[in-house]
Amino acid sequence: MLTTFTARLFAALAGVGLLLSGCTSGGGAQLAPANFVATQEGPGEEYVIGPLDKLTIHVWRNDELGATVQVRPDGRITTPLVADMPAVGKTPTMLAEDIRLQLSQYIAEPLVTVIVNEFAGTFSQQIRVVGATEKPASLPYRANMTVLDAMIAVGGMSEFASGNRAKLVRFNRTTGSQQEYALRLGDLLKKGDTKANVMLMPGDVIIIPESMF
């Protein structure tokens, strides 16, 4: 009788242990660790213009046709002789070519340059950090960006965050599916575990739950 009771007690304690271990680490696939300092900096994907980006349009030898504009929330811009030109979703080179084609109706062989002065980017290029953080935010992605960079930008985790249960949601453009990865933000920020730092990709979403205790 005592032996049966003891066996049941150990089984119950083991179940509680498994439950608690599940509360301390996030589920999902694991990402490869990233270096705290990149050994070699490289360019990211070509920048795509987003709403509220600030642009400078320069037309060589025709300064009156240039302008400094902010992309409207509807994704369009207006410059001299070019009205309601779609800008969102284009690279600066693509937008410059579209403006050139429009201006070629009025001047011979215009040379157009588009410079992005202030970056917001499209949603597919932003890094979003939500949940138990000091200041949830959407951050413009930059080349070689890591989870540590994103957490510094949002001021770290809140007092009640369960960092090791955080997850990263990433959209796979090739398969058209969404994948979740486990993050160990508690180990990264509180213990300095370098293996918990991972590379980010444009469009990643970091979700930080609150502790249940």
Side-chain angles (χ1 to χ4, degrees), residues 162-202:
S162 181
N164 283 353
R165 293 175 54 237
K167 60 184 178 181
L168 183 149
V169 181
R170 177 172 293 169
F171 179 73
N172 189 318
R173 299 179 186 179
T174 303
T175 63
S177 61
Q178 187 171 279
Q179 177 72 49
E180 291 187 1
Y181 298 92
L183 294 177
R184 294 186 292 112
L185 298 182
D187 292 345
L188 173 63
L189 301 179
K190 296 180 180 180
K191 298 180 181 179
D193 185 352
T194 59
K195 294 182 180 179
N197 192 30
V198 299
M199 296 296 297
L200 294 176
M201 298 292 291

Short mmCIF file of all heavy atoms in Angstrom, two decimals, residues 162-202:
data_model
loop_
_atom_site.label_atom_id
_atom_site.label_comp_id
_atom_site.label_asym_id
_atom_site.label_seq_id
_atom_site.Cartn_x
_atom_site.Cartn_y
_atom_site.Cartn_z
N SER A 162 8.22 36.93 -19.17
CA SER A 162 8.75 35.57 -19.13
C SER A 162 9.60 35.39 -20.39
O SER A 162 9.15 34.86 -21.41
CB SER A 162 7.60 34.56 -19.09
OG SER A 162 8.09 33.24 -19.03
N GLY A 163 10.83 35.89 -20.31
CA GLY A 163 11.68 36.00 -21.49
C GLY A 163 11.99 34.68 -22.17
O GLY A 163 12.08 34.62 -23.40
N ASN A 164 12.13 33.62 -21.41
CA ASN A 164 12.48 32.33 -22.00
C ASN A 164 11.28 31.61 -22.62
O ASN A 164 11.43 30.52 -23.16
CB ASN A 164 13.15 31.43 -20.97
CG ASN A 164 14.60 31.83 -20.74
OD1 ASN A 164 15.13 32.70 -21.44
ND2 ASN A 164 15.24 31.22 -19.77
N ARG A 165 10.11 32.22 -22.52
CA ARG A 165 8.93 31.69 -23.22
C ARG A 165 8.59 32.55 -24.43
O ARG A 165 7.55 32.35 -25.07
CB ARG A 165 7.73 31.63 -22.27
CG ARG A 165 7.88 30.61 -21.14
CD ARG A 165 6.71 30.66 -20.15
NE ARG A 165 5.43 30.53 -20.84
CZ ARG A 165 4.44 31.42 -20.77
NH1 ARG A 165 4.59 32.54 -20.08
NH2 ARG A 165 3.31 31.22 -21.40
N ALA A 166 9.45 33.49 -24.78
CA ALA A 166 9.21 34.34 -25.94
C ALA A 166 9.34 33.54 -27.22
O ALA A 166 9.97 32.48 -27.25
CB ALA A 166 10.21 35.51 -25.94
N LYS A 167 8.74 34.05 -28.28
CA LYS A 167 8.85 33.38 -29.56
C LYS A 167 8.99 34.40 -30.69
O LYS A 167 8.62 35.56 -30.55
CB LYS A 167 7.63 32.49 -29.82
CG LYS A 167 6.29 33.21 -29.83
CD LYS A 167 5.16 32.20 -29.99
CE LYS A 167 3.80 32.89 -29.95
NZ LYS A 167 2.68 31.92 -30.09
N LEU A 168 9.56 33.94 -31.76
CA LEU A 168 9.74 34.75 -32.96
C LEU A 168 8.88 34.16 -34.07
O LEU A 168 8.94 32.95 -34.33
CB LEU A 168 11.22 34.77 -33.37
CG LEU A 168 11.60 35.63 -34.58
CD1 LEU A 168 13.02 36.17 -34.40
CD2 LEU A 168 11.53 34.83 -35.88
N VAL A 169 8.06 34.99 -34.69
CA VAL A 169 7.20 34.54 -35.79
C VAL A 169 7.79 35.08 -37.09
O VAL A 169 8.01 36.29 -37.23
CB VAL A 169 5.76 35.04 -35.60
CG1 VAL A 169 4.88 34.54 -36.74
CG2 VAL A 169 5.20 34.58 -34.26
N ARG A 170 8.04 34.19 -38.02
CA ARG A 170 8.68 34.57 -39.29
C ARG A 170 7.88 34.01 -40.47
O ARG A 170 7.46 32.86 -40.46
CB ARG A 170 10.11 34.02 -39.34
CG ARG A 170 10.86 34.28 -40.65
CD ARG A 170 12.32 33.89 -40.51
NE ARG A 170 13.02 34.76 -39.57
CZ ARG A 170 14.23 34.52 -39.10
NH1 ARG A 170 14.88 33.43 -39.47
NH2 ARG A 170 14.81 35.36 -38.25
N PHE A 171 7.67 34.87 -41.47
CA PHE A 171 6.95 34.45 -42.67
C PHE A 171 7.95 33.95 -43.70
O PHE A 171 8.92 34.64 -44.03
CB PHE A 171 6.15 35.61 -43.25
CG PHE A 171 5.40 35.28 -44.50
CD1 PHE A 171 4.26 34.49 -44.45
CD2 PHE A 171 5.83 35.74 -45.74
CE1 PHE A 171 3.56 34.16 -45.61
CE2 PHE A 171 5.14 35.42 -46.90
CZ PHE A 171 4.00 34.63 -46.83
N ASN A 172 7.72 32.76 -44.20
CA ASN A 172 8.58 32.17 -45.22
C ASN A 172 8.02 32.52 -46.59
O ASN A 172 6.96 32.02 -46.99
CB ASN A 172 8.64 30.64 -45.04
CG ASN A 172 9.68 30.00 -45.94
OD1 ASN A 172 9.83 30.34 -47.11
ND2 ASN A 172 10.41 29.03 -45.39
N ARG A 173 8.71 33.39 -47.30
CA ARG A 173 8.20 33.85 -48.60
C ARG A 173 8.21 32.74 -49.65
O ARG A 173 7.43 32.76 -50.60
CB ARG A 173 9.03 35.04 -49.08
CG ARG A 173 9.00 36.23 -48.14
CD ARG A 173 9.85 37.38 -48.66
NE ARG A 173 9.92 38.47 -47.69
CZ ARG A 173 10.61 39.58 -47.88
NH1 ARG A 173 11.31 39.73 -48.99
NH2 ARG A 173 10.63 40.52 -46.95
N THR A 174 9.10 31.79 -49.48
CA THR A 174 9.20 30.71 -50.46
C THR A 174 8.00 29.77 -50.38
O THR A 174 7.41 29.41 -51.39
CB THR A 174 10.50 29.91 -50.24
OG1 THR A 174 11.62 30.79 -50.33
CG2 THR A 174 10.64 28.82 -51.29
N THR A 175 7.65 29.39 -49.15
CA THR A 175 6.54 28.44 -48.96
C THR A 175 5.21 29.13 -48.72
O THR A 175 4.15 28.49 -48.80
CB THR A 175 6.84 27.51 -47.77
OG1 THR A 175 6.94 28.30 -46.57
CG2 THR A 175 8.16 26.78 -47.98
N GLY A 176 5.26 30.42 -48.39
CA GLY A 176 4.03 31.14 -48.09
C GLY A 176 3.44 30.77 -46.74
O GLY A 176 2.26 31.01 -46.48
N SER A 177 4.26 30.20 -45.86
CA SER A 177 3.77 29.76 -44.55
C SER A 177 4.47 30.54 -43.44
O SER A 177 5.48 31.21 -43.65
CB SER A 177 4.01 28.26 -44.36
OG SER A 177 5.41 27.97 -44.42
N GLN A 178 3.92 30.42 -42.23
CA GLN A 178 4.43 31.11 -41.06
C GLN A 178 5.09 30.10 -40.12
O GLN A 178 4.54 29.03 -39.88
CB GLN A 178 3.27 31.80 -40.37
CG GLN A 178 3.63 32.70 -39.22
CD GLN A 178 2.44 33.50 -38.75
OE1 GLN A 178 2.10 34.51 -39.33
NE2 GLN A 178 1.80 33.04 -37.70
N GLN A 179 6.27 30.44 -39.61
CA GLN A 179 7.02 29.54 -38.73
C GLN A 179 7.28 30.23 -37.41
O GLN A 179 7.60 31.42 -37.37
CB GLN A 179 8.35 29.15 -39.39
CG GLN A 179 9.24 28.27 -38.54
CD GLN A 179 8.71 26.85 -38.41
OE1 GLN A 179 8.36 26.24 -39.40
NE2 GLN A 179 8.67 26.35 -37.19
N GLU A 180 7.16 29.48 -36.30
CA GLU A 180 7.46 30.00 -34.99
C GLU A 180 8.77 29.41 -34.47
O GLU A 180 9.03 28.21 -34.65
CB GLU A 180 6.33 29.69 -34.00
CG GLU A 180 5.05 30.44 -34.29
CD GLU A 180 4.00 30.24 -33.20
OE1 GLU A 180 4.31 29.52 -32.21
OE2 GLU A 180 2.90 30.79 -33.34
N TYR A 181 9.58 30.26 -33.84
CA TYR A 181 10.85 29.84 -33.27
C TYR A 181 10.91 30.24 -31.80
O TYR A 181 10.41 31.30 -31.41
CB TYR A 181 12.03 30.47 -34.02
CG TYR A 181 12.12 30.10 -35.47
CD1 TYR A 181 11.51 30.88 -36.45
CD2 TYR A 181 12.81 28.95 -35.87
CE1 TYR A 181 11.59 30.53 -37.79
CE2 TYR A 181 12.89 28.60 -37.22
CZ TYR A 181 12.28 29.40 -38.16
OH TYR A 181 12.35 29.06 -39.49
N ALA A 182 11.54 29.40 -30.99
CA ALA A 182 11.70 29.70 -29.57
C ALA A 182 12.81 30.72 -29.36
O ALA A 182 13.84 30.68 -30.04
CB ALA A 182 12.01 28.42 -28.81
N LEU A 183 12.61 31.63 -28.42
CA LEU A 183 13.63 32.60 -28.03
C LEU A 183 13.90 32.46 -26.54
O LEU A 183 13.00 32.15 -25.77
CB LEU A 183 13.17 34.04 -28.33
CG LEU A 183 12.99 34.44 -29.79
CD1 LEU A 183 12.47 35.87 -29.86
CD2 LEU A 183 14.29 34.30 -30.56
N ARG A 184 15.13 32.70 -26.14
CA ARG A 184 15.52 32.66 -24.72
C ARG A 184 16.00 34.05 -24.31
O ARG A 184 17.17 34.28 -24.04
CB ARG A 184 16.59 31.60 -24.49
CG ARG A 184 16.08 30.18 -24.74
CD ARG A 184 17.12 29.11 -24.38
NE ARG A 184 18.27 29.15 -25.28
CZ ARG A 184 19.49 29.52 -24.92
NH1 ARG A 184 19.73 29.91 -23.68
NH2 ARG A 184 20.49 29.51 -25.79
N LEU A 185 15.05 35.00 -24.27
CA LEU A 185 15.41 36.37 -23.98
C LEU A 185 15.88 36.54 -22.54
O LEU A 185 16.71 37.40 -22.26
CB LEU A 185 14.21 37.29 -24.25
CG LEU A 185 13.71 37.33 -25.69
CD1 LEU A 185 12.56 38.32 -25.82
CD2 LEU A 185 14.83 37.70 -26.65
N GLY A 186 15.36 35.73 -21.62
CA GLY A 186 15.82 35.81 -20.24
C GLY A 186 17.28 35.45 -20.12
O GLY A 186 18.06 36.14 -19.46
N ASP A 187 17.68 34.36 -20.78
CA ASP A 187 19.09 33.95 -20.76
C ASP A 187 19.97 34.99 -21.44
O ASP A 187 21.10 35.26 -21.00
CB ASP A 187 19.26 32.61 -21.45
CG ASP A 187 18.62 31.46 -20.67
OD1 ASP A 187 18.30 31.68 -19.48
OD2 ASP A 187 18.43 30.38 -21.24
N LEU A 188 19.45 35.60 -22.51
CA LEU A 188 20.23 36.59 -23.26
C LEU A 188 20.45 37.86 -22.45
O LEU A 188 21.59 38.35 -22.32
CB LEU A 188 19.52 36.91 -24.58
CG LEU A 188 20.11 38.05 -25.41
CD1 LEU A 188 21.51 37.71 -25.88
CD2 LEU A 188 19.21 38.36 -26.62
N LEU A 189 19.37 38.42 -21.90
CA LEU A 189 19.45 39.73 -21.26
C LEU A 189 19.88 39.68 -19.80
O LEU A 189 20.48 40.63 -19.30
CB LEU A 189 18.09 40.43 -21.38
CG LEU A 189 17.59 40.66 -22.82
CD1 LEU A 189 16.23 41.34 -22.80
CD2 LEU A 189 18.58 41.49 -23.63
N LYS A 190 19.56 38.60 -19.10
CA LYS A 190 19.86 38.53 -17.68
C LYS A 190 21.13 37.74 -17.37
O LYS A 190 21.80 37.99 -16.37
CB LYS A 190 18.68 37.93 -16.92
CG LYS A 190 17.42 38.79 -16.99
CD LYS A 190 16.27 38.15 -16.22
CE LYS A 190 15.02 39.02 -16.28
NZ LYS A 190 13.89 38.41 -15.53
N LYS A 191 21.46 36.78 -18.25
CA LYS A 191 22.62 35.94 -18.00
C LYS A 191 23.75 36.18 -19.01
O LYS A 191 24.84 35.64 -18.85
CB LYS A 191 22.22 34.47 -18.02
CG LYS A 191 21.21 34.08 -16.96
CD LYS A 191 20.87 32.60 -17.05
CE LYS A 191 19.84 32.20 -16.00
NZ LYS A 191 19.49 30.75 -16.10
N GLY A 192 23.45 36.97 -20.06
CA GLY A 192 24.47 37.23 -21.06
C GLY A 192 24.84 36.01 -21.89
O GLY A 192 25.97 35.88 -22.35
N ASP A 193 23.88 35.11 -22.08
CA ASP A 193 24.13 33.88 -22.84
C ASP A 193 24.23 34.24 -24.33
O ASP A 193 23.23 34.54 -24.99
CB ASP A 193 23.00 32.88 -22.61
CG ASP A 193 23.26 31.54 -23.29
OD1 ASP A 193 24.24 31.42 -24.05
OD2 ASP A 193 22.47 30.60 -23.05
N THR A 194 25.43 34.19 -24.88
CA THR A 194 25.64 34.59 -26.27
C THR A 194 24.91 33.68 -27.26
O THR A 194 24.56 34.10 -28.35
CB THR A 194 27.14 34.60 -26.61
OG1 THR A 194 27.68 33.28 -26.40
CG2 THR A 194 27.89 35.59 -25.73
N LYS A 195 24.68 32.43 -26.86
CA LYS A 195 24.01 31.49 -27.76
C LYS A 195 22.52 31.80 -27.92
O LYS A 195 21.87 31.26 -28.81
CB LYS A 195 24.19 30.06 -27.26
CG LYS A 195 25.63 29.57 -27.31
CD LYS A 195 25.74 28.13 -26.83
CE LYS A 195 27.19 27.66 -26.89
NZ LYS A 195 27.31 26.26 -26.40
N ALA A 196 21.99 32.67 -27.07
CA ALA A 196 20.57 33.02 -27.14
C ALA A 196 20.32 34.18 -28.08
O ALA A 196 19.17 34.55 -28.32
CB ALA A 196 20.04 33.36 -25.75
N ASN A 197 21.38 34.78 -28.61
CA ASN A 197 21.23 35.88 -29.56
C ASN A 197 21.12 35.30 -30.98
O ASN A 197 21.94 34.47 -31.38
CB ASN A 197 22.43 36.83 -29.48
CG ASN A 197 22.19 38.13 -30.22
OD1 ASN A 197 21.06 38.59 -30.33
ND2 ASN A 197 23.25 38.72 -30.74
N VAL A 198 20.11 35.73 -31.74
CA VAL A 198 19.90 35.19 -33.08
C VAL A 198 19.70 36.32 -34.08
O VAL A 198 19.34 37.44 -33.72
CB VAL A 198 18.67 34.24 -33.13
CG1 VAL A 198 18.88 33.05 -32.20
CG2 VAL A 198 17.39 34.99 -32.77
N MET A 199 19.95 36.03 -35.35
CA MET A 199 19.78 37.01 -36.41
C MET A 199 18.30 37.21 -36.71
O MET A 199 17.49 36.28 -36.60
CB MET A 199 20.48 36.55 -37.69
CG MET A 199 21.99 36.43 -37.58
SD MET A 199 22.81 38.03 -37.27
CE MET A 199 22.38 38.92 -38.76
N LEU A 200 17.94 38.44 -37.06
CA LEU A 200 16.57 38.75 -37.46
C LEU A 200 16.48 38.88 -38.97
O LEU A 200 17.47 39.13 -39.65
CB LEU A 200 16.11 40.05 -36.80
CG LEU A 200 15.97 40.02 -35.27
CD1 LEU A 200 15.61 41.40 -34.75
CD2 LEU A 200 14.93 39.00 -34.85
N MET A 201 15.26 38.73 -39.48
CA MET A 201 14.97 38.91 -40.89
C MET A 201 13.86 39.94 -41.04
O MET A 201 13.05 40.12 -40.12
CB MET A 201 14.53 37.58 -41.51
CG MET A 201 15.59 36.48 -41.48
SD MET A 201 17.00 36.85 -42.56
CE MET A 201 16.22 36.68 -44.17
N PRO A 202 13.78 40.64 -42.17
CA PRO A 202 12.71 41.62 -42.36
C PRO A 202 11.34 40.98 -42.15
O PRO A 202 11.07 39.89 -42.64
CB PRO A 202 12.89 42.06 -43.83
CG PRO A 202 14.33 41.80 -44.13
CD PRO A 202 14.70 40.58 -43.34
#
